[in-house]
């Protein structure tokens, strides 16, 4: 689904991303973990063509063949993503924003409403019908709006950066179930970064560990098999 070769990005003296070769297979649920500054968000931004790479390439495979996000926008037809609040149109209400996302994906209002019903538990009665602009929502509810918008049109590639941030424990558990169900039902390729190791282990079929811009470990995670190695890596002796 995604092919990365010799991908490099620097900010001044700091190397944010330096990946010689990395592939994400079709249908994988990839968890991306690492400490602050490891390069996770930068990598996602490079994949989504939100940053220009200093060198190397990102390619996506589709039914039409291989697509390069830096050269073509065809990848947007099958990709849903949420990185941060900048993805939102915060002067709209959630209803208006979802309607906008739906129209951009050629969805009828009926289809949008049917999809929103799937996320009712996650919204917890705090998103729709509140007569609030997105900018006036809490950080957690903004996060929910972004995640729902990313999944609204049932994309085959989903990228979520720290989706558990700002969510209360109940919403985190609901989101884990929603993402797992979405993956099982659609067969989509899903990339999620998170500082929460346990959530990542619970939902991922494979886990990549980043450090100083490099992918230093690439671990299969069948039945949580990566847990011990990750805990050992991140453990701090006192």
């Amino acid at each position: 689904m995604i092919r990365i070769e010799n991908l490099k990005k620097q900010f001044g003296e700091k190397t944010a991303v330096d990946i010689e070769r990395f592939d994400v297979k079709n249908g994988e649920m990839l968890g991306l973990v690492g400490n602050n500054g490891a390069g996770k968000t930068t990598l996602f931004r490079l994949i989504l063509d939100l940053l220009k790479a200093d060198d190397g390439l990102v390619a996506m495979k589709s039914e039409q063949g291989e697509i390069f996000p830096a050269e073509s926008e065809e990848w947007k037809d099958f990709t849903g993503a949420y990185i941060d609040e900048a993805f939102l149109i915060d002067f709209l209400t959630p209803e208006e924003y979802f309607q906008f996302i739906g129209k951009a994906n050629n969805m009828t209002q009926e289809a949008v409403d049917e999809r929103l019903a799937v996320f009712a538990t996650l919204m917890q009665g705090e998103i729709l019908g509140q007569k609030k602009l997105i900018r006036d929502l809490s950080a957690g509810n903004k996060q929910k709006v972004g995640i729902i918008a990313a999944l609204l049109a049932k994309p085959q590639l989903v990228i979520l950066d720290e989706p558990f941030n700002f969510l209360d424990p109940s919403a985190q558990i609901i989101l884990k179930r929603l993402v797992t169900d979405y993956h099982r039902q659609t067969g989509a390729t899903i990339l999620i970064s998170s500082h929460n190791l346990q959530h990542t282990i619970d939902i991922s079929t494979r886990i990549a560990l980043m450090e100083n811009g490099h992918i230093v470990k690439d671990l299969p995670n069948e039945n949580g098999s990566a847990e011990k190695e990750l805990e050992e890596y991140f453990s701090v002796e006192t």
Side-chain angles (χ1 to χ4, degrees):
M1 186 67 174
I2 299 176
R3 177 170 64 91
I4 294 170
E5 287 188 3
N6 299 314
L7 188 65
K8 296 181 181 180
K9 183 64 182 179
Q10 288 203 205
F11 297 107
E13 301 272 323
K14 178 177 174 55
T15 298
V17 169
D18 187 355
I19 299 173
E20 183 176 346
R21 176 76 189 229
F22 189 71
D23 295 322
V24 181
K25 297 177 183 177
N26 188 44
E28 283 192 311
M29 174 97 80
L30 179 75
L32 190 63
V33 299
N35 291 317
N36 288 334
K40 304 184 299 298
T41 299
T42 301
L43 175 57
F44 281 174
R45 289 185 176 278
L46 289 167
I47 292 172
L48 294 168
D49 195 36
L50 297 172
L51 282 174
K52 180 177 173 58
D54 296 327
D55 199 6
L57 63 84
V58 173
M60 296 179 183
K61 293 179 181 178
S62 72
E63 294 178 354
Q64 290 72 41
E66 202 164 48
I67 297 170
F68 299 91
E71 300 174 4
S72 167
E73 295 195 350
E74 291 180 30
W75 59 277
K76 293 181 179 180
D77 294 337
F78 57 83
T79 303
Y82 183 67
I83 304 295
D84 55 32
E85 288 184 26
F87 275 53
L88 304 174
I89 305 176
D90 67 359
F91 58 81
L92 299 179
T93 65
E95 289 91 340
E96 291 169 336
Y97 182 59
F98 294 139
Q99 185 179 39
F100 170 79
I101 296 295
K103 285 183 176 179
N105 287 278
N106 298 312
M107 297 172 67
T108 65
Q109 186 59 50
E110 182 181 10
V112 170
D113 292 340
E114 288 178 359
R115 284 294 290 150
L116 290 177
V118 174
F119 303 101
T121 306
L122 179 63
M123 290 189 280
Q124 298 176 305
E126 298 176 342
I127 305 295
L128 302 179
Q130 302 304 298
K131 298 181 180 180
K132 285 185 177 181
L133 302 179
I134 292 173
R135 66 187 175 210
D136 297 324
L137 298 176
S138 67
N141 284 335
K142 289 177 184 177
Q143 186 90 349
K144 293 175 187 178
V145 170
I147 293 167
I148 292 167
L151 298 174
L152 192 67
K154 292 187 178 180
Q156 281 300 299
L157 174 61
V158 178
I159 297 177
L160 301 175
D161 191 29
E162 296 289 350
F164 301 104
N165 273 5
F166 309 119
L167 300 186
D168 61 36
S170 294
Q172 291 181 29
I173 292 170
I174 293 167
L175 178 59
K176 281 170 57 175
R177 187 183 309 121
L178 277 170
V179 171
T180 302
D181 288 348
Y182 184 86
H183 181 249
R184 185 183 68 254
Q185 293 165 5
T186 66
T189 305
I190 302 178
L191 283 65
I192 290 182
S193 77
S194 180
H195 284 125
N196 190 307
L197 277 184
Q198 194 56 59
H199 287 341
T200 307
I201 291 164
D202 287 346
I203 65 176
S204 303
T205 60
R206 176 184 173 199
I207 296 177
L209 170 59
M210 287 194 74
E211 195 68 49
N212 297 320
H214 300 272
I215 294 179
V216 297
K217 289 184 182 291
D218 184 359
L219 306 171
N221 189 46
E222 185 177 354
N223 298 318
S225 60
E227 182 171 8
K228 183 178 179 181
E229 189 166 350
L230 288 171
E231 287 183 349
E232 289 176 352
Y233 185 89
F234 287 108
S235 65
V236 178
E237 295 183 3
T238 58

